[in-house]
Amino acid sequence: MKNMVVGIEGLVGSGKTSICRELLYKIPNSVIFHGGNLYRGIVYAFMTKNKNLEILQNIDITKVMEELDVKIELENNETVVYVGNEKIEEEKLQNRETSMAVSVVANKANNIEMFILARKIINNLKEKYNVIVSGRALMEIYPSLDYHFFITAGLEERAKRKLKQYNNEVSLEELKAHIAKRDELQEKSGFYKTYQNTITVDVTECKTAIESANKVCEYIK
């Protein structure tokens, strides 16, 4: 039986990463490719070098990846990002500054080479595993997805979930404005597209990531 590729994308703060991690326990022999963290790793490395992000709008971002020595490795059934020999922890990749920078860059950059690179990584992983992919524009990156899920939740609920992630360092209203701005940028980038085969799952009422993952699993046969 051939391995499958399950794509998980959705609104900012809808719990995509947590859902993917729960799916690891529900889909045998599976790994997660955090496609969004590949992009975040490149932008994060660029920012730490104090380079002007505007440059990323006009150059091949995969060449930037090579120049900054950004690598993707598989650890504990999930892809992780290294810059040189340093593993970049998720809190750095997911912080507010990096998140907003990624949304801005993705809205203007030429992503074709990045999509080709992501497709290659998915195909390599698929040779051995069922692949759970988290990211943006997944149907463009990998048109032959076995399942394409788009996760939604209300703005208020998404802000509350992000508030926990940011350890209550900002107000709920500030976070709602931040998420709404990122939503706007993502939509302008074309990253909120749904397709004929897209399965939209609203997890607003789900109290845990397990509940959200269970809703997704109802559609996987």
Side-chain angles (χ1 to χ4, degrees):
M1 189 173 182
K2 71 173 185 175
N3 292 322
M4 64 180 175
V5 182
V6 177
I8 304 288
E9 59 183 304
L11 302 180
V12 171
S14 56
K16 300 180 292 296
T17 300
S18 297
I19 290 171
C20 287
R21 289 189 172 130
E22 290 301 329
L23 290 177
L24 277 179
Y25 299 104
K26 299 175 183 298
I27 299 175
N29 188 41
S30 59
V31 295
I32 303 172
F33 170 43
H34 295 289
N37 280 359
L38 171 59
Y39 214 129
R40 287 169 180 271
I42 294 168
V43 172
Y44 174 83
F46 212 73
M47 290 169 64
T48 58
K49 298 290 184 181
N50 295 316
K51 292 180 178 288
N52 184 355
L53 288 173
E54 295 292 321
I55 299 173
L56 291 178
Q57 299 171 21
N58 304 308
I59 61 178
D60 180 351
I61 203 164
T62 56
K63 290 182 180 178
V64 175
M65 183 177 174
E66 292 175 5
E67 290 170 6
L68 297 176
D69 197 18
V70 178
K71 300 184 292 290
I72 296 294
E73 304 288 347
L74 189 63
E75 296 180 3
N76 299 318
N77 296 87
E78 298 185 43
T79 56
V80 295
V81 177
Y82 279 82
V83 177
N85 295 319
E86 179 190 1
K87 179 180 175 180
I88 309 303
E89 299 299 334
E90 191 158 333
E91 55 263 27
K92 292 183 179 178
L93 296 174
Q94 296 283 348
N95 67 31
R96 287 199 303 156
E97 185 181 11
T98 304
S99 295
M100 184 58 78
V102 167
S103 294
V104 172
V105 171
N107 188 39
K108 299 177 180 179
N110 182 340
N111 294 303
I112 293 175
E113 294 300 324
M114 177 63 77
F115 289 176
I116 292 170
L117 173 63
R119 192 176 306 130
K120 186 182 299 184
I121 293 171
I122 293 168
N123 280 330
N124 287 341
L125 291 171
K126 189 184 176 185
E127 290 180 7
K128 294 183 179 181
Y129 308 101
N130 291 307
V131 187
I132 303 161
V133 186
S134 174
R136 303 289 184 198
L138 298 185
M139 285 295 291
E140 294 178 56
I141 293 170
Y142 208 84
S144 57
L145 284 171
D146 294 278
Y147 296 93
H148 179 236
F149 291 98
F150 192 86
I151 311 299
T152 69
L155 177 60
E156 182 88 9
E157 182 60 29
R158 288 186 285 142
K160 287 178 180 178
R161 293 174 186 178
K162 278 290 184 184
L163 198 61
K164 294 178 183 177
Q165 181 181 326
Y166 294 148
N167 297 316
N168 296 302
E169 293 174 355
V170 295
S171 70
L172 181 63
E173 290 306 311
E174 184 182 357
L175 204 45
K176 283 169 66 175
H178 172 78
I179 291 173
K181 179 61 178 177
R182 287 186 59 203
D183 277 341
E184 180 185 347
L185 289 168
Q186 298 285 9
E187 194 158 5
K188 283 182 179 178
S189 302
F191 290 160
Y192 279 177
K193 287 182 184 177
T194 56
Y195 300 80
Q196 187 173 358
N197 62 332
T198 301
I199 301 168
T200 300
V201 180
D202 190 327
V203 298
T204 305
E205 301 302 321
C206 294
K207 302 302 181 187
T208 65
I210 294 175
E211 286 186 23
S212 297
N214 285 340
K215 286 193 74 169
V216 170
C217 281
E218 290 174 6
Y219 299 94
I220 298 177
K221 300 175 183 179

